[in-house]
Amino acid sequence: MSGLVNYVSCGALWLGLLVRAPDLLRHRRDPYLRAICAVLGLAGLCFFLGAPPTVGAVNRIGDVPNLAAPVTYAAITGYCAASQLLVVHWRGGPRVRRTARRWLLAYTVVVLGIAVTFALGEAPVERRTDLDTYYATTPYIAQMIVLYLVAHLTAVTVTTVSALRWARRVRGGLRAGLTLLGTGSLCGAGYSVAKLVAVGARWSGRDWSGLGTTVSPAAAGLGALLTVVGVLVPLAAPRITEWRRARRTYARLEPLERALDDLLTRRTLRLPRPGLASPTTRLMWRQTSVHNALSHLAPYFDRELYDRTRAGAPAATGEAERAEAAAWAAVITAAVREEADAGRRVPPRDGGGCGRSLDRVPDPAVLLRIADALAGAAPAPAADVVPSRTTTAGTA
């Protein structure tokens, strides 16, 4: 009677609504966002109203036995209408508004039917968990129960078929989200089917109320979890992809940063390492450190060494990009050694073969290939390629 499953499911759904709320505020006129937020909000409300403690509170406040039943059923019907609107906007087409209005009208009629049948029927004994089976043979109350269950089953069936059918035509995070959403709706169908079977059993004189009090809540709770995850996956997928790409790039740059580590430490060119930070932030930190070191080394870059290494590398690599990376790796390694020699002056920027075309820092794409070359992923420079400047000749 604690309603823990209901409240946890409600919290999960409203958490999903909270995540999508900023998008809704930015795009208030987007019918798709409005529909999906309505689905999350109303589904959470259904679980909240269906919890036994909430049922008791509603009955007590309204001073009407089982008043919580039509209130909860109306919320479930509203959820059904939102689900149908979501499906309509998914499908698109020239008749979206007309179809949406028809679904709204149909479920408005269902809500009115629930209110009328409850008013005409008699349910004097409060039932917080098994009202469906307890009053399954009571005139008008039985019709109210079947009405809301059939409306719910129709909505989740259409949502399941539409989501899974669309999932076959897309890829990536959207496909995963639609698959989860369709599976969650299928679990929601399990809720209605279990309730209808229990009601049918009651009509034949059997007591299968356990289906309505145990199986149905479990199916609904699982469906709520899958629905929330399905809604959030398309939102989170691009960010997760970005983080994975940043993590791989961060790892690839490690050999280059390691080659520059002594310089970064000695000249205090490295920014403080970020603590608990996203992969994107850590990548930015490593890129900044490498950029600072290479900017400091720019006056020591030997253009002739670069040209000779690059000319000798294609025979071994067969690729111009890898040859360029191998040349840069040789130049950077020589520059690090030369800069570390305390007895050497900083070479002038306009002479001695240093500078001109190499008085710059490679772009990020080239930095990754340089790191690969330093890690041994690219062939080393040809053995006969040596620096021609006297300032670098003894550094090897």
Side-chain angles (χ1 to χ4, degrees):
M1 297 291 287
S2 66
L4 179 61
V5 173
N6 291 69
Y7 291 133
V8 170
S9 301
C10 172
L13 288 160
W14 283 351
L15 178 62
L17 174 62
L18 183 64
V19 172
R20 296 308 301 257
D23 291 335
L24 181 62
L25 292 176
R26 287 192 297 267
H27 309 284
R28 296 181 181 87
R29 298 183 180 276
D30 188 335
Y32 169 75
L33 279 176
R34 289 204 301 263
I36 204 166
C37 288
V39 167
L40 292 173
L42 289 171
L45 182 62
C46 295
F47 280 104
F48 178 78
L49 292 174
T54 307
V55 170
V58 171
N59 293 338
R60 185 173 58 255
I61 294 171
D63 197 24
V64 176
N66 298 307
L67 176 62
V71 173
T72 303
Y73 298 164
I76 292 174
T77 304
Y79 160 77
C80 296
S83 298
Q84 294 306 311
L85 293 181
L86 179 61
V87 171
V88 168
H89 290 299
W90 271 352
R91 290 174 175 172
R95 298 183 178 180
V96 169
R97 292 185 177 181
R98 181 182 300 179
T99 306
R101 283 196 298 267
R102 288 178 178 176
W103 279 115
L104 282 175
L105 178 61
Y107 280 100
T108 299
V109 172
V110 172
V111 171
L112 291 175
I114 290 172
V116 170
T117 51
F118 180 77
L120 294 175
E122 294 184 1
V125 180
E126 183 185 65
R127 308 299 298 186
R128 297 190 179 185
T129 59
D130 63 346
L131 183 141
D132 299 319
T133 51
Y134 188 86
Y135 288 106
T137 57
T138 302
Y140 295 110
I141 302 298
Q143 283 75 14
M144 177 188 71
I145 293 168
V146 172
L147 182 61
Y148 100 86
L149 287 175
V150 171
H152 180 264
L153 182 59
T154 300
V156 294
T157 300
V158 173
T159 304
T160 300
V161 173
S162 299
L164 296 180
R165 183 179 295 170
W166 190 17
R168 291 184 297 181
R169 299 199 297 265
V170 296
R171 293 291 182 270
L174 182 58
R175 181 175 191 175
L178 287 169
T179 302
L180 289 168
L181 184 60
T183 307
S185 298
L186 183 61
C187 292
Y191 166 86
S192 299
V193 170
K195 291 269 190 181
L196 286 170
V197 170
V199 169
R202 183 74 175 82
W203 291 345
S204 63
R206 298 181 178 86
D207 183 11
W208 290 1
S209 58
L211 288 175
T213 58
T214 304
V215 177
S216 287
L222 179 59
L225 177 61
L226 293 174
T227 297
V228 171
V229 176
V231 169
L232 296 181
V233 162
L235 181 67
R239 184 170 298 178
I240 294 174
T241 300
E242 179 185 355
W243 284 358
R244 290 177 59 187
R245 187 181 298 113
R247 191 178 293 111
R248 289 196 298 266
T249 304
Y250 178 86
R252 281 185 66 185
L253 282 175
E254 196 274 336
L256 179 55
E257 186 193 15
R258 186 171 60 245
L260 300 169
D261 183 68
D262 178 69
L263 172 64
L264 288 166
T265 303
R266 185 160 36 82
R267 300 294 186 182
T268 62
L269 299 174
R270 183 187 279 118
L271 297 175
R273 181 184 294 270
L276 297 176
S278 68
T280 305
T281 301
R282 291 198 298 270
L283 173 61
M284 187 177 300
W285 169 80
R286 176 162 281 179
Q287 287 175 329
T288 302
S289 299
V290 169
H291 185 276
N292 290 345
L294 294 182
S295 296
H296 180 82
L297 288 176
Y300 298 91
F301 290 162
D302 187 338
R303 178 182 178 183
E304 191 169 341
L305 172 61
Y306 175 87
D307 291 339
R308 291 194 178 194
T309 307
R310 184 171 184 177
T317 65
E319 297 180 12
E321 290 182 348
R322 296 182 68 188
E324 179 188 22
W328 269 113
V331 168
I332 291 172
T333 301
V336 168
R337 293 175 179 174
E338 183 177 353
E339 193 277 340
D341 190 339
R344 299 188 184 277
R345 297 182 298 105
V346 176
R349 287 181 175 268
D350 58 351
C354 72
R356 297 205 293 261
S357 66
L358 285 183
D359 191 11
R360 59 181 173 82
V361 175
D363 61 55
V366 178
L367 289 180
L368 290 175
R369 293 193 290 270
I370 295 171
D372 291 341
L374 289 169
D384 60 341
V385 177
V386 296
S388 62
R389 283 192 334 195
T390 57
T391 55
T392 62
T395 60

